[in-house]
Amino acid sequence: MKRVLIFILALALICTNALAAGISQNGTSVTVTDVPEGGKLIIAGYDEAGRLSASRIYAPENGTINAENSISGAAKTKMFLWDMNMLAPIEMTEQQPSAGSKMLVAYFSWTNNTDGIANHIADITGADKFEIVPVEPYGEENNNYYDENTRAYKEQYDNSARPEISGTVANMEQYDVVFLGFPIWYGKAPKLIYTFLESYDFEGKTVVPFCTSGSSGISTRELVPLAPGANWLDGRRFSGGASRDTVEEWVNSLDIEIEEEPEVTDNKMTLTIGGAAFTATLEDNATAAEFKKLLPMTLDMSELNGNEKYYYLDGNLPSAASNPGTIHEGDIMLYGSSCVVVFYKTFNTSYSYTKIGHIDDPAGLAAAVGSGNVSVEFK
Ligand SMILES: Cc1cc2nc3c(=O)[nH]c(=O)nc-3n(C[C@H](O)[C@H](O)[C@H](O)COP(=O)(O)O)c2cc1C
């Protein structure tokens, strides 16, 4: 466990921008040139929940590394250039949350005080919510703070205690900002929060801690090293019954951009790709109507031909395919009866599709989808 942690620490201390200087990628083939002595390329694979699943390390030959940016079974990969002699990143760049950040409120609450604050934050920001629930619930005996035999007391004074969490955050990668809430137990965050932080990759995310307590202030010093590469904002303590207005005042004072929900009417949907949101207009046909019934959904779309991302749905949609002649950047099409395609370039085609809709303003779409596979949320 410790070795895995050290490795995750090492990985997470640097970001993909470290590779800006000498990297080129063609499909999954990666070439890094001018690698300094001791430099090695680490390609890390992450599962759907954003957890490290596997990794490969490539050494240079004559200052050049040739590598494959793919890990079997991984939902996403990241590349890191690492100085193995110094055990330090070769380059580091600071990451800030982008405008229109996607947010999550993750919190543990035993007697529902923190739960109330988490609800206010989710309501104010539109953030998704994830309650951190222990697999084994804490018993009423924890009310007796001073009893050294209670589970909470024993865990809080045991450095290695990591109580198991029930369930996982779906697609943690999509979140730029994570509000992290907990009660104060014996002056610190409950060990369940330690488990949570060690379960995901927080590199590049902004973590905003908040707590409730009887009187103690928030303590995050011991949490920060558990989420390496994260940008931690100052924490805030609330009393259990803090009002929505109090919470809102705090949220508004934070250095984060709150995502404006684009207005969605009956024939509209939103595609969210990384931090970018695109409004699309649906066609007035049976295909679009059935597609809309599937929303919201997040599709891990595959790259094809440098102009489209596609995903095969589990079931079929009604189709009435014809050859459109020209595919326009931003077209959302059905190929066959189950393959959803988002086109990010304009070109002529000889294939037939059923049109589902079109992104109203596709400027920035190509940059948002990038050159590889990409997760797209439709809602
Ligand atoms: C085991 C335990 C330890 C606690 N330790 C502290 C403490 O050190 N300082 C404090 O001010 N409050 C302490 N409290 C009180 C809680 O922090 C407070 O009631 C909090 O609002 C509970 O949040 P929750 O309802 O979300 O679980 C403790 C409560 C429990 C159950």
Side-chain angles (χ1 to χ4, degrees), residues 107-116 138-146 150-153 156-157 181-188 190 211-217 237-241:
Y107 68 98
F108 167 57
S109 183
W110 187 49
T111 50
N112 287 335
N113 289 340
T114 314
D115 180 80
Y138 290 92
E140 290 302 315
E141 77 279 3
N142 284 342
N143 277 322
N144 186 2
Y145 303 172
Y146 303 105
T150 61
R151 175 178 158 207
Y153 188 99
Q156 290 304 98
Y157 290 97
F182 46 86
I184 294 293
W185 281 5
Y186 309 106
K188 291 185 179 161
C211 75
T212 64
S213 72
S215 60
S216 304
R237 179 217 166 238
F238 294 95
S239 59

Coordinates of all heavy atoms in Angstrom, one line a residue, residues 107-116 138-146 150-153 156-157 181-188 190 211-217 237-241, ligand 1:
Y107 N -18.9 14.6 0.6 CA -18.9 14.9 2.0 C -19.2 13.7 2.8 O -19.9 12.8 2.3 CB -19.9 16.0 2.3 CG -21.3 15.6 2.1 CD1 -22.1 15.1 3.1 CD2 -21.8 15.5 0.8 CE1 -23.4 14.7 2.9 CE2 -23.1 15.1 0.6 CZ -23.9 14.6 1.6 OH -25.2 14.2 1.4
F108 N -18.8 13.7 4.1 CA -19.2 12.7 5.0 C -19.9 13.4 6.1 O -19.5 14.5 6.5 CB -18.0 12.0 5.6 CG -18.3 11.2 6.9 CD1 -19.2 10.2 6.8 CD2 -17.6 11.4 8.1 CE1 -19.5 9.4 8.0 CE2 -17.9 10.7 9.2 CZ -18.8 9.7 9.2
S109 N -21.0 12.8 6.6 CA -21.8 13.5 7.7 C -22.4 12.4 8.5 O -23.1 11.5 8.0 CB -22.9 14.3 7.1 OG -23.6 15.0 8.1
W110 N -22.1 12.4 9.8 CA -22.6 11.3 10.7 C -24.0 11.7 11.3 O -24.9 11.0 11.4 CB -21.6 11.0 11.8 CG -22.0 9.8 12.6 CD1 -22.4 8.6 12.1 CD2 -22.0 9.7 14.0 NE1 -22.7 7.8 13.1 CE2 -22.5 8.4 14.3 CE3 -21.7 10.6 15.0 CZ2 -22.6 8.0 15.6 CZ3 -21.8 10.1 16.3 CH2 -22.3 8.8 16.6
T111 N -24.0 13.0 11.7 CA -25.3 13.5 12.3 C -26.0 14.5 11.5 O -26.8 15.3 12.0 CB -25.0 14.0 13.8 OG1 -24.0 14.9 13.8 CG2 -24.7 12.8 14.7
N112 N -25.6 14.6 10.2 CA -26.3 15.4 9.2 C -26.1 16.9 9.3 O -26.7 17.6 8.6 CB -27.9 15.2 9.3 CG -28.2 13.8 8.7 OD1 -27.4 13.3 7.8 ND2 -29.3 13.2 9.1
N113 N -25.2 17.4 10.1 CA -24.8 18.8 10.1 C -24.1 19.1 8.8 O -24.5 20.1 8.1 CB -23.9 19.2 11.3 CG -24.7 19.1 12.6 OD1 -25.9 19.2 12.6 ND2 -24.0 19.0 13.7
T114 N -23.1 18.4 8.5 CA -22.3 18.6 7.3 C -23.2 18.4 6.0 O -23.0 19.1 5.0 CB -21.0 17.7 7.2 OG1 -20.4 17.8 8.5 CG2 -20.1 18.2 6.2
D115 N -24.1 17.5 6.1 CA -25.0 17.2 5.0 C -25.8 18.5 4.6 O -26.0 18.8 3.5 CB -26.0 16.1 5.5 CG -27.0 15.7 4.4 OD1 -26.6 15.0 3.5 OD2 -28.1 16.2 4.5
G116 N -26.2 19.2 5.7 CA -27.0 20.4 5.4 C -26.1 21.5 4.6 O -26.6 22.1 3.7
Y138 N -20.9 4.0 11.5 CA -20.4 4.3 12.9 C -21.6 4.2 13.8 O -22.7 4.6 13.5 CB -19.8 5.7 13.0 CG -18.5 5.8 12.2 CD1 -18.4 6.2 10.9 CD2 -17.3 5.4 12.9 CE1 -17.2 6.2 10.2 CE2 -16.1 5.5 12.2 CZ -16.1 5.9 10.9 OH -14.9 5.9 10.2
G139 N -21.3 3.6 15.0 CA -22.4 3.4 16.0 C -22.7 4.5 16.9 O -21.9 5.5 17.0
E140 N -23.8 4.5 17.6 CA -24.2 5.5 18.6 C -23.1 5.8 19.6 O -23.0 6.8 20.2 CB -25.5 5.2 19.2 CG -26.7 5.3 18.2 CD -26.8 6.6 17.6 OE1 -26.7 7.6 18.3 OE2 -27.0 6.7 16.4
E141 N -22.3 4.7 19.9 CA -21.3 4.9 21.0 C -20.3 6.0 20.7 O -19.7 6.6 21.6 CB -20.5 3.6 21.2 CG -19.4 3.3 20.2 CD -20.0 2.6 18.9 OE1 -21.2 2.5 18.8 OE2 -19.1 2.3 18.1
N142 N -20.2 6.4 19.4 CA -19.3 7.5 19.1 C -19.7 8.9 19.7 O -19.0 9.8 19.7 CB -19.2 7.7 17.5 CG -18.4 6.6 16.9 OD1 -17.6 6.0 17.6 ND2 -18.5 6.4 15.6
N143 N -21.0 8.9 20.2 CA -21.5 10.1 20.8 C -20.7 10.4 22.1 O -20.6 11.5 22.6 CB -22.9 10.0 21.2 CG -23.8 10.4 20.0 OD1 -23.5 11.3 19.3 ND2 -24.9 9.6 19.8
N144 N -20.1 9.3 22.6 CA -19.3 9.5 23.8 C -17.9 9.8 23.5 O -17.0 8.9 23.4 CB -19.4 8.2 24.7 CG -18.7 8.3 26.0 OD1 -18.2 9.4 26.3 ND2 -18.7 7.2 26.8
Y145 N -17.6 11.0 23.1 CA -16.3 11.4 22.6 C -15.1 10.9 23.4 O -14.1 10.7 22.9 CB -16.1 12.9 22.5 CG -17.1 13.7 21.8 CD1 -17.1 15.1 21.9 CD2 -18.1 13.2 21.0 CE1 -18.0 15.9 21.2 CE2 -19.0 13.9 20.3 CZ -19.0 15.3 20.4 OH -19.9 16.1 19.8
Y146 N -15.3 10.9 24.7 CA -14.1 10.7 25.6 C -13.8 9.2 25.9 O -12.9 8.9 26.5 CB -14.3 11.5 26.9 CG -14.5 12.9 26.6 CD1 -15.8 13.5 26.7 CD2 -13.4 13.7 26.1 CE1 -15.9 14.9 26.3 CE2 -13.6 15.0 25.7 CZ -14.9 15.6 25.9 OH -15.1 16.9 25.5
T150 N -14.2 3.7 21.7 CA -15.1 3.9 20.6 C -14.3 3.7 19.3 O -13.1 3.9 19.2 CB -15.8 5.2 20.5 OG1 -14.8 6.2 20.4 CG2 -16.7 5.5 21.8
R151 N -15.0 3.3 18.2 CA -14.4 3.1 17.0 C -13.8 4.4 16.4 O -12.6 4.4 16.0 CB -15.4 2.5 16.0 CG -14.8 2.4 14.6 CD -15.8 1.8 13.6 NE -15.5 2.1 12.2 CZ -16.3 2.2 11.2 NH1 -17.6 2.0 11.4 NH2 -15.9 2.5 10.0
A152 N -14.5 5.4 16.5 CA -14.1 6.7 16.0 C -12.8 7.1 16.7 O -11.8 7.5 16.1 CB -15.1 7.8 16.2
Y153 N -12.7 7.0 18.0 CA -11.5 7.4 18.8 C -10.3 6.6 18.4 O -9.3 7.1 18.1 CB -11.8 7.2 20.3 CG -10.7 7.8 21.2 CD1 -10.8 9.0 21.8 CD2 -9.5 7.1 21.4 CE1 -9.8 9.5 22.6 CE2 -8.5 7.6 22.2 CZ -8.7 8.8 22.8 OH -7.7 9.3 23.5
Q156 N -9.2 7.5 14.9 CA -8.6 8.9 14.7 C -7.2 8.9 15.3 O -6.4 9.8 14.9 CB -9.5 9.9 15.4 CG -10.8 10.2 14.7 CD -10.6 10.7 13.3 OE1 -10.7 9.8 12.4 NE2 -10.3 11.9 13.1
Y157 N -6.9 8.0 16.2 CA -5.5 8.0 16.8 C -4.7 6.9 16.2 O -3.6 6.6 16.7 CB -5.6 7.9 18.3 CG -6.1 9.2 18.9 CD1 -7.4 9.4 19.2 CD2 -5.2 10.3 19.0 CE1 -7.9 10.6 19.6 CE2 -5.7 11.6 19.4 CZ -7.1 11.7 19.8 OH -7.5 12.9 20.2
G181 N -16.3 18.0 2.3 CA -16.9 18.3 3.6 C -16.8 17.2 4.6 O -16.9 16.0 4.2
F182 N -16.7 17.5 5.9 CA -16.6 16.5 6.9 C -16.9 17.2 8.3 O -16.7 18.4 8.5 CB -15.2 15.9 6.9 CG -14.1 16.8 6.8 CD1 -13.5 17.4 7.9 CD2 -13.6 17.2 5.6 CE1 -12.5 18.3 7.8 CE2 -12.5 18.1 5.5 CZ -12.0 18.7 6.6
P183 N -17.2 16.4 9.3 CA -17.3 16.9 10.7 C -15.9 16.8 11.2 O -15.0 16.0 10.8 CB -18.2 15.9 11.4 CG -18.0 14.6 10.6 CD -17.7 15.0 9.2
I184 N -15.6 17.6 12.2 CA -14.3 17.5 12.9 C -14.4 16.5 14.0 O -15.4 16.5 14.8 CB -13.9 18.9 13.6 CG1 -13.6 19.9 12.5 CG2 -12.7 18.7 14.5 CD1 -12.4 19.6 11.6
W185 N -13.5 15.5 14.0 CA -13.5 14.5 15.0 C -12.1 14.5 15.7 O -11.1 14.3 15.0 CB -13.7 13.1 14.4 CG -15.1 12.7 14.1 CD1 -16.2 13.5 14.2 CD2 -15.6 11.5 13.6 NE1 -17.4 12.9 13.8 CE2 -17.0 11.6 13.4 CE3 -15.0 10.2 13.2 CZ2 -17.9 10.6 13.0 CZ3 -15.9 9.2 12.8 CH2 -17.2 9.4 12.7
Y186 N -12.1 14.9 16.9 CA -10.9 15.0 17.7 C -9.9 15.9 17.0 O -8.7 15.6 16.8 CB -10.3 13.6 18.0 CG -11.2 12.7 18.6 CD1 -11.8 11.6 17.8 CD2 -11.7 12.8 19.9 CE1 -12.7 10.8 18.3 CE2 -12.6 11.9 20.4 CZ -13.2 10.9 19.6 OH -14.1 10.1 20.2
G187 N -10.4 17.0 16.6 CA -9.6 18.1 16.0 C -9.2 17.9 14.6 O -8.6 18.8 14.0
K188 N -9.6 16.8 13.9 CA -9.2 16.5 12.6 C -10.4 16.0 11.7 O -11.4 15.7 12.3 CB -8.1 15.5 12.5 CG -6.8 16.1 13.1 CD -5.7 15.1 13.0 CE -4.4 15.8 13.6 NZ -3.4 14.8 13.9
P190 N -12.3 13.1 9.8 CA -12.4 11.6 10.0 C -11.5 10.9 9.0 O -11.3 11.3 7.9 CB -13.9 11.3 9.8 CG -14.6 12.7 10.1 CD -13.6 13.7 9.6
C211 N -16.0 22.2 6.8 CA -16.4 21.3 7.9 C -17.5 21.9 8.8 O -17.8 23.1 8.7 CB -15.1 21.0 8.7 SG -14.7 22.3 9.8
T212 N -18.0 21.0 9.6 CA -18.8 21.5 10.7 C -18.2 20.9 12.0 O -17.5 19.9 12.0 CB -20.3 21.1 10.7 OG1 -20.4 19.6 10.7 CG2 -21.0 21.5 9.4
S213 N -18.4 21.6 13.1 CA -17.8 21.1 14.4 C -18.6 21.8 15.5 O -19.4 22.7 15.3 CB -16.3 21.5 14.5 OG -16.2 22.9 14.7
G214 N -18.3 21.3 16.7 CA -18.8 21.9 17.9 C -18.2 23.3 18.1 O -18.9 24.3 18.3
S215 N -16.9 23.4 18.0 CA -16.2 24.7 18.1 C -14.8 24.7 17.4 O -14.3 25.7 17.0 CB -16.0 25.0 19.6 OG -15.2 24.0 20.2
S216 N -14.3 23.5 17.2 CA -12.9 23.4 16.6 C -12.9 24.0 15.2 O -13.8 23.9 14.5 CB -12.4 22.0 16.5 OG -12.4 21.4 17.8
G217 N -11.7 24.6 14.9 CA -11.6 25.1 13.5 C -11.2 24.0 12.6 O -11.0 22.8 13.0
R237 N -14.9 26.5 8.3 CA -15.7 25.9 9.3 C -17.1 26.5 9.4 O -17.2 27.8 9.4 CB -15.0 25.9 10.7 CG -15.9 25.2 11.8 CD -15.8 25.9 13.1 NE -16.9 25.4 13.9 CZ -17.9 26.1 14.5 NH1 -17.9 27.4 14.3 NH2 -18.8 25.6 15.2
F238 N -18.1 25.7 9.5 CA -19.5 26.2 9.7 C -20.0 25.6 10.9 O -19.7 24.5 11.3 CB -20.4 25.8 8.5 CG -20.0 26.5 7.2 CD1 -19.2 25.8 6.3 CD2 -20.5 27.7 6.9 CE1 -18.9 26.4 5.1 CE2 -20.2 28.3 5.7 CZ -19.3 27.7 4.8
S239 N -20.9 26.3 11.6 CA -21.7 25.7 12.7 C -22.7 24.8 12.0 O -23.1 25.1 10.8 CB -22.3 26.7 13.6 OG -23.2 27.5 12.8
G240 N -23.2 23.8 12.7 CA -24.1 22.8 12.1 C -25.3 23.4 11.3 O -25.6 23.0 10.2
G241 N -25.9 24.5 11.9 CA -27.1 25.0 11.3 C -26.9 26.2 10.4 O -27.8 27.0 10.3
Ligands
LIG1 C1 -16.4 11.2 17.5 C2 -16.6 12.7 17.5 C3 -15.6 13.6 17.8 C4 -15.8 14.9 17.7 N1 -14.7 15.8 18.0 C5 -14.9 17.1 17.9 C6 -13.8 18.0 18.1 O1 -12.7 17.6 18.3 N2 -14.1 19.3 18.1 C7 -15.3 19.8 17.9 O2 -15.5 21.1 17.8 N3 -16.4 19.0 17.6 C8 -16.2 17.7 17.7 N4 -17.2 16.8 17.4 C9 -18.6 17.4 17.1 C10 -18.8 17.4 15.6 O3 -17.7 17.9 14.9 C11 -20.0 18.2 15.2 O4 -21.1 17.8 15.9 C12 -20.3 18.2 13.7 O5 -21.1 19.2 13.3 C13 -20.9 16.9 13.3 O6 -21.1 16.8 11.9 P1 -22.0 15.8 11.2 O7 -23.4 16.0 11.7 O8 -22.0 16.1 9.7 O9 -21.5 14.4 11.5 C14 -17.1 15.5 17.5 C15 -18.1 14.6 17.2 C16 -17.9 13.2 17.2 C17 -19.1 12.3 17.0

